[in-house]
Amino acid sequence: PFIREDGLVMYVQGSSQTYRATQATSGFNAPTLVTELQVSNVAQGFPTVTADDLVIYYESVRTDVSQGGEDIWVATRATTSDPFGNLHNVTELNTARDDKPTFITRDRCTLYFERRSIDDAGVAKQEIWVATKTP
């Protein structure tokens, strides 16, 4: 799960789909499917949302615009009542390895992500990366 910075919203991955749940008096309300991010028969997950809930990064194995393996994707919206749109592959970060977002800073300028691969000896390797941009 990814809990938004204020603790009021939680995004979770379930059955290769992304769900959103809002805080209730005790715990969270039942999650609802974030339908605008779904592509049929495509695994995705690792939802990572900005503090204002207007930008979501996630990983997907879509093959239509893939760098190989699991790629980082991003979607945006103007208000929290709008659906996410403008979905696109973050090609400048993705490699042939499995790339997954893990955290985005409040100013949207620093993204932490993990990269998974198998080394020459056949050993699984997991690395933490950081990407930055100017505001």
Side-chain angles (χ1 to χ4, degrees):
F2 182 90
I3 297 179
R4 199 174 67 193
E5 188 177 301
D6 61 8
L8 300 178
V9 177
M10 176 174 56
Y11 286 83
V12 294
Q13 172 187 343
S15 302
S16 298
Q17 297 176 324
T18 301
Y19 293 86
R20 182 180 189 272
T22 55
Q23 187 181 50
T25 306
S26 146
F28 284 87
N29 292 309
T32 58
L33 182 64
V34 183
T35 56
E36 62 269 25
L37 299 181
Q38 305 311 310
V39 177
S40 66
N41 300 320
V42 173
Q44 63 186 41
F46 287 79
T48 305
V49 184
T50 56
D52 59 10
D53 212 2
L54 299 180
V55 179
I56 185 168
Y57 288 87
Y58 60 100
E59 66 84 19
S60 179
V61 294
R62 291 176 61 165
T63 57
D64 54 345
V65 187
S66 175
Q67 303 286 68
E70 298 166 353
D71 286 350
I72 298 171
W73 285 71
V74 65
T76 59
R77 59 185 176 180
T79 71
T80 56
S81 59
D82 292 333
F84 286 105
N86 191 28
L87 285 67
H88 62 276
N89 186 304
V90 186
T91 56
E92 61 269 30
L93 299 181
N94 292 313
T95 66
R97 300 175 182 177
D98 291 340
D99 303 300
K100 302 174 185 212
T102 57
F103 183 78
I104 182 73
T105 56
R106 175 178 280 277
D107 63 5
R108 302 179 187 175
C109 292
T110 305
L111 177 70
Y112 292 84
F113 61 102
E114 69 178 56
R115 184 166 285 156
R116 295 180 182 178
S117 63
I118 306 294
D119 68 16
D120 293 338
V123 177
K125 184 170 132 179
Q126 185 172 340
E127 303 167 329
I128 301 297
W129 288 71
V130 179
T132 59
K133 65 179 181 178
T134 54

